[in-house]
Amino acid sequence: MSLREQFGKDVLLTGWGHSRFGKLTDETLESLIVQVATEAIANAGIEPGQIDEIYLGQFNSGMMPLAFPSSLALQVSEQLANVPSTRVENACASGSAAFQQGTKSLLAGTAKTVLVIGAEKMTHAGADVVGAALLGADYDMAGKASSTGFTGLFAEVAKHYEKRYGPISDVLGTIAAKNHRNGVDNPYAQLRKDLGEEFCRTVSDKNPMVADPLRRTDCSPVSDGAAAVVLSVAPTGGATAPVRLAGFGQANDFFPAERRDPTAFAATRVSWQRALGMAGVGLEDLDFAEVHDCFTIAELLMYEAMGLTEPGQGSRAIEEGWVFKDGKLPINVSGGLKAKGHPVGATGVSQHVIAAMQLTGTAGGMQLPIARRAAVQNMGGVGIANYVSVLEAL
């Protein structure tokens, strides 16, 4: 049973906008929000006054002094005066959290048209500020000093994985190389250079070890950027065909590390099951997926959490070519967080926008030859807050 059959109505992505990701020194949080919101509204073919509600995904956590940005989208137009607007925060999954809140407003019948925005400004803050902010998303390390930050947390996951299943250094390097190669074709990506497998697999002066076994190429960059999408219950006559949300799922895991198996990503697995179950489809019905590769070990674990392989066998998806552009389930054709960049609050919305572009044949150089159904997966913390959406072309 699909979302449409379960709730008796459609949730459609009818318009979207996306900024470039990277170090955007000439942009402010406000200018980024206004840019992508304006694009999304125009792309949907509607007037700003037709927006019933706004959700803004943003993490911040002390990276910016302004901690109350919910009304910034109203700067788009006088027509948005008095429109309800809410900031949504759930660590690195803030963008997808905002997306699901907008979806639920439509399903509840309290809105017919919702604007969802994800945005973050990070590069202006020092490495210590960004590191401390991100560590605020970890139960055990919040407020503590760390020389490796969140990289260190995922490095521990990688160490547990290697202890249980064997070496993965070369596999992680291949994942990084794949996503950097894909990022070359993404005009929004922060890192648009094909680095090659040898470089990504090798520790060097230009690719140092950040937290063993994770090298610099195993880590997503600090980024600025924004994305926006208009959600509607009916087509709006926009510039492109709408995209249907077929199913969605969310699952949260226990916060203390001692209560989680570090390599299982158990709640991530449940979020996949819930989204695919609502959509009434299996992995074999997907043409591609955009997943949360904040670190390459996260993408490897995602192959297993989504059910592409059994636990401990994620390397098969790389070694047998399943997740490459020409494989049976291309993963992160956009370059993923690894190459596209990771402006935390923007990531989840960006993933939905990139997927919608693929499904409408408007992805330019990124375009896959067959793109009818896709999944988007976004998470906050080390597999703590997990969101999955299933999208399909009309």
Side-chain angles (χ1 to χ4, degrees), residues 273-294:
Q273 292 168 346
R274 288 175 175 168
L276 292 170
M278 182 184 289
V281 301
L283 285 183
E284 67 278 5
D285 299 308
L286 302 179
D287 295 312
F288 68 95
E290 289 288 322
V291 308
H292 193 98
D293 62 322
C294 50

Side-chain angles (χ1 to χ4, degrees), residues 5 18 42 50 69 78 86 92 199 246 256 262-263 275 287 313 356-357 391:
E5 293 166 331
H18 201 298
Q50 293 174 258
E78 291 289 333
T86 304
C92 297
F199 180 84
T263 68
D287 295 312
Q313 297 182 22
M357 292 171 66
L391 306 176

Side-chain angles (χ1 to χ4, degrees), residues 246-265:
F248 63 90
Q250 179 191 357
N252 274 52
D253 211 336
F254 293 106
F255 211 4
E258 63 184 18
R259 300 198 65 182
R260 290 178 276 118
D261 180 332
T263 68
F265 277 37

Side-chain angles (χ1 to χ4, degrees), residues 161 165 263-264 269 283 300-317 322:
Y161 191 97
Y165 300 117
T263 68
R269 183 180 297 271
L283 285 183
L300 180 67
L301 284 168
M302 206 52 53
Y303 303 157
E304 301 174 14
M306 69 198 296
L308 190 58
T309 76
E310 294 297 317
Q313 297 182 22
S315 59
R316 286 189 63 199
W322 300 348

Side-chain angles (χ1 to χ4, degrees), residues 366-388:
M366 295 182 283
Q367 187 64 51
L368 291 166
I370 299 175
R372 298 294 301 169
R373 186 178 290 113
V376 166
Q377 180 270 330
N378 185 203
M379 70 181 177
V382 187
I384 302 298
N386 302 273
Y387 296 81
V388 177

Side-chain angles (χ1 to χ4, degrees), residues 86-134:
T86 304
R87 176 193 173 217
V88 180
E89 187 280 310
N90 219 359
C92 297
S94 295
S96 286
F99 182 90
Q100 283 201 13
Q101 289 304 117
T103 295
K104 291 173 181 177
S105 287
L106 297 184
L107 295 178
T110 56
K112 292 183 178 180
T113 306
V114 174
L115 174 64
V116 178
I117 306 164
E120 207 78 63
K121 276 286 289 181
M122 303 173 69
T123 63
H124 64 284
D128 56 337
V129 174
V130 173
L134 296 177

